[in-house]
């Protein structure tokens, strides 16, 4: 479907006898109440893991919950920017496969490309996802704050919820010396990679706040935000991705009380279709990139799917303000 718009839980382990004796409450029903206040409310499906095993009836025939509940995105609604192709589209499809009922794919072109159209048809045919598996395309500019806010509100009005945001839109300009880097080009990179990420997070976060169900905001950072890229003068890109890391940490601290989690994923070199076209003309660069990864290769877009679904789901309910390397060990040297 194509749509155009204008413009936690953690389980407290059993406390030792010495520590329990110091608790300012008795070890009765009030204990469970106090511990519940400390660890937050249970998800709708209740206890999982060891806590569930200890409470289940001896005559019960339990079934696994790890994928049916913790990792499930059933009935969830998501907004993914930069999702016409590449990493954004890969993550949008992963959310559908995990059960999300609708994933709104926002990108700059007025109409989606052939890659998106094929993926959309594939998503419609998926069986057993636990949701409707609906992808929707939105034409929008992430650097237009008002338009992005309107996109978020329109999705909220239509769906009645907002659960997930993946800010994946970004640009990388060619090699340019830092001493002669054009200010106009630098501003363009910052507008998309920093302001655009903020405006996307705001669009979704406002709706998460509106409905009061919490949510997960995932920003795509980069190994380039942790250090310079050997052999590449990418001052603007590296600066922008470093800003994304700090933005996520700051927002995580501010939004934590509302159960809105904010995290980042830092990929290393990923072989998207755009990257492949670049490397086809620069084979020496491909060799250099491969050597910089302990795994001896660069990554595939699908290798980001697991991290994205984990961060979007209850499986990561005690995780916020963190960055996750999906880098083939790039940063481990």
């Amino acid at each position: 479907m194509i749509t155009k718009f204008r413009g936690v839980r953690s389980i407290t382990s059993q406390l030792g006898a010495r520590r329990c004796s110091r608790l300012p409450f008795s070890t009765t029903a009030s204990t469970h109440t106090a511990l519940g206040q400390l660890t937050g409310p249970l998800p709708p499906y209740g206890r999982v893991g060891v806590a569930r095993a200890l409470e289940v009836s001896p005559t019960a025939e339990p079934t696994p919950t790890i994928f049916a509940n913790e990792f499930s995105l059933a009935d969830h609604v998501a907004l993914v920017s930069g999702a016409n192709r590449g990493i954004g589209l890969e993550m949008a499809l992963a959310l559908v496969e995990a059960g999300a009922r609708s994933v709104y794919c926002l990108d700059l072109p007025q109409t989606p490309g052939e890659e998106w159209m094929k993926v959309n048809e594939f998503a419609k045919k998926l069986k057993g996802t636990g949701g409707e598996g609906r992808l929707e395309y939105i034409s929008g500019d992430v650097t237009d704050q008002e338009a992005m806010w309107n996109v978020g509100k329109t999705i909220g009005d239509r769906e009645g919820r907002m659960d997930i945001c993946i800010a994946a839109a970004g640009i990388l300009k060619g090699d340019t010396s830092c001493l002669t880097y054009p200010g106009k080009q630098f501003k363009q990179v910052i507008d998309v990679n920093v302001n655009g990420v903020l405006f996307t997070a705001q669009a979704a976060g406002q709706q998460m706040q509106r409905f009061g169900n919490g949510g997960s905001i995932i920003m795509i950072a980069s190994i380039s935000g942790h250090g310079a890229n050997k052999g590449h003068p990418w001052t603007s890109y590296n600066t922008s991705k470093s800003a994304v890391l700090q933005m996520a940490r700051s927002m995580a601290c501010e939004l934590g009380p509302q159960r809105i989690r904010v995290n980042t994923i830092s990929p290393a070199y990923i072989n998207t279709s755009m990257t492949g076209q670049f490397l086809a003309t620069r084979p020496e660069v491909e060799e250099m990139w491969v050597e910089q990864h302990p795994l001896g290769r660069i990554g595939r877009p699908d290798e980001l799917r697991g991290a994205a679904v984990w961060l979007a789901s209850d499986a990561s309910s005690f995780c916020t303000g963190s960055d996750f390397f999906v880098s083939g060990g790039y940063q481990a040297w």
Side-chain angles (χ1 to χ4, degrees):
M1 185 178 296
I2 303 172
T3 305
K4 293 185 179 180
F5 295 99
R6 286 185 301 173
V8 196
R9 115 173 238 250
S10 63
I11 302 175
T12 302
S13 60
Q14 292 184 327
L15 302 174
R18 180 177 300 177
R19 185 176 177 186
C20 284
S21 66
R22 298 178 182 176
L23 291 174
F25 42 78
S26 62
T27 55
T28 60
S30 62
T31 302
H32 298 288
T33 301
L35 290 177
Q37 292 171 351
L38 290 173
T39 59
L42 291 172
Y45 44 81
R47 298 186 184 279
V48 297
V50 172
R52 175 173 175 247
L54 294 176
E55 292 185 352
V56 72
S57 168
T59 60
E61 297 181 356
T63 57
T65 68
I66 188 69
F67 295 115
N69 291 335
E70 294 101 294
F71 277 94
S72 173
L73 300 180
D75 202 38
H76 285 41
V77 174
L79 170 63
V80 183
S81 68
N84 184 43
R85 60 177 182 173
I87 290 174
L89 180 57
E90 189 73 59
M91 291 185 169
L93 177 59
L95 298 183
V96 169
E97 291 191 35
R101 79 171 186 227
S102 55
V103 179
Y104 289 80
C105 302
L106 184 140
D107 217 320
L108 198 56
Q110 289 296 312
T111 57
E114 181 180 356
E115 186 176 349
W116 189 92
M117 296 296 289
K118 288 183 177 179
V119 170
N120 185 39
E121 289 303 314
F122 175 83
K124 291 178 181 179
K125 298 175 183 177
L126 285 172
K127 304 296 183 183
T129 60
E132 297 177 26
R134 192 171 85 245
L135 287 178
E136 297 208 33
Y137 185 81
I138 305 172
S139 175
D141 183 352
V142 296
T143 68
D144 187 333
Q145 185 179 43
E146 183 178 359
M148 289 302 297
W149 288 13
N150 287 336
V151 164
K153 184 178 184 304
T154 303
I155 295 173
D157 290 344
R158 172 183 293 184
E159 301 287 351
R161 63 187 299 158
M162 178 74 78
D163 305 282
I164 304 160
C165 171
I166 301 181
I171 59 173
L172 169 65
K173 295 297 183 179
D175 294 358
T176 308
S177 169
C178 64
L179 296 183
T180 57
Y181 204 102
K184 184 176 181 180
Q185 182 171 294
F186 194 93
K187 182 178 183 300
Q188 183 183 12
V189 173
I190 297 300
D191 278 348
V192 175
N193 294 3
V194 182
N195 296 344
V197 168
L198 174 62
F199 301 160
T200 303
Q202 289 176 331
Q206 288 172 5
Q207 302 309 306
M208 294 174 184
Q209 182 183 62
R210 170 187 177 185
F211 297 109
N213 296 320
S216 176
I217 297 173
I218 305 164
M219 300 175 178
I220 304 304
S222 171
I223 47 96
S224 302
H226 296 269
N229 299 71
K230 185 176 180 180
H232 296 290
W234 290 347
T235 297
S236 64
Y237 185 77
N238 298 350
T239 300
S240 70
K241 291 302 183 179
S242 182
V244 168
L245 293 170
Q246 184 57 32
M247 183 192 303
R249 288 189 288 261
S250 299
M251 292 184 70
C253 294
E254 186 174 345
L255 297 176
Q258 301 178 58
R259 295 186 297 117
I260 299 174
R261 300 181 294 109
V262 187
N263 295 285
T264 52
I265 296 175
S266 285
Y269 297 107
I270 303 295
N271 190 22
T272 62
S273 56
M274 184 169 59
T275 301
Q277 294 172 6
F278 169 74
L279 292 178
T281 63
R282 300 281 298 277
E284 74 282 2
V285 172
E286 179 178 5
E287 182 178 349
M288 179 178 66
W289 286 0
V290 166
E291 291 177 351
Q292 291 173 358
H293 297 75
L295 288 182
R297 64 179 179 86
I298 62 177
R300 304 186 308 270
D302 64 270
E303 292 179 301
L304 295 166
R305 287 158 52 92
V309 170
W310 179 70
L311 285 173
S313 72
D314 286 350
S316 63
S317 58
F318 197 53
C319 180
T320 195
S322 299
D323 178 63
F324 296 88
F325 286 103
V326 183
S327 64
Y330 180 96
Q331 80 290 350
W333 289 115

